[in-house]
Amino acid sequence: MVHDVGQALQAGHETGDAELASKAKRGNIDAFGELVERYKERAYMIALGFVGNADDAMDLSQEAFVKAFKAIRSFKDGRDFYPWFYAVLRNTCFNFLRRRKTRKESSLDAAQEYGFDVVDGAPDPAATLLRI
């Protein structure tokens, strides 16, 4: 009987995530590739949930794997890989959203500085009431 969620998730895998992550930490690229294969779909779906755009989600999930590979030396042996990777993915998505928000606000501010009228895309409340 499986008592650990990590064990349950790994039950169908010959080599556990912690072992693969430890091997990757020692320079085994194939071990990291196996982790990518195991989690690429889940990473994409999580990123999609954060950002709401399929192309951005694909880019961000790939970027998170690259960041994880570069930071694998900070992975603590014996720990589950997925929670560590999830933190990398989440932070990658949050940074993207923060940059996107800043960029959007900056572009609107710049447009106003150049004399353009920036139209609010929200429906006019008065027009909405008249339709009711």
Side-chain angles (χ1 to χ4, degrees):
M1 176 176 222
V2 177
H3 297 284
D4 181 2
V5 173
Q7 288 175 335
L9 291 172
Q10 296 173 16
H13 304 299
E14 290 179 24
T15 306
D17 289 354
E19 184 180 343
L20 286 171
S22 292
K23 286 180 179 181
K25 186 176 179 177
R26 293 189 305 271
N28 186 327
I29 295 171
D30 292 333
F32 191 82
E34 177 62 30
L35 290 167
V36 171
E37 285 301 313
R38 287 183 187 183
Y39 293 110
K40 67 182 179 184
E41 290 179 29
R42 188 185 306 184
Y44 168 77
M45 295 305 291
I46 289 169
L48 183 60
F50 279 126
V51 300
N53 176 284
D55 291 334
D56 290 338
M58 182 62 72
D59 290 345
L60 291 166
S61 59
Q62 290 174 359
E63 181 180 338
F65 279 115
V66 169
K67 287 181 178 182
F69 181 74
K70 289 179 178 179
I72 194 71
R73 294 204 192 291
S74 71
F75 178 79
K76 292 187 172 104
D77 288 333
R79 299 277 178 116
D80 287 334
F81 173 78
Y82 185 73
W84 178 81
F85 173 73
Y86 177 83
V88 173
L89 176 63
R90 181 196 61 220
N91 291 340
T92 301
C93 291
F94 285 173
N95 288 339
F96 170 81
L97 291 170
R98 212 174 355 263
R99 283 190 312 268
R100 185 171 71 181
K101 180 180 178 202
T102 301
R103 207 172 26 239
K104 194 179 288 185
E105 289 172 358
S106 296
S107 64
L108 290 176
D109 291 341
Q112 287 175 329
E113 287 174 16
Y114 285 108
F116 291 99
D117 290 328
V118 178
V119 180
D120 183 2
D124 179 21
T128 304
L129 285 175
L130 292 176
R131 280 188 252 146
I132 298 178

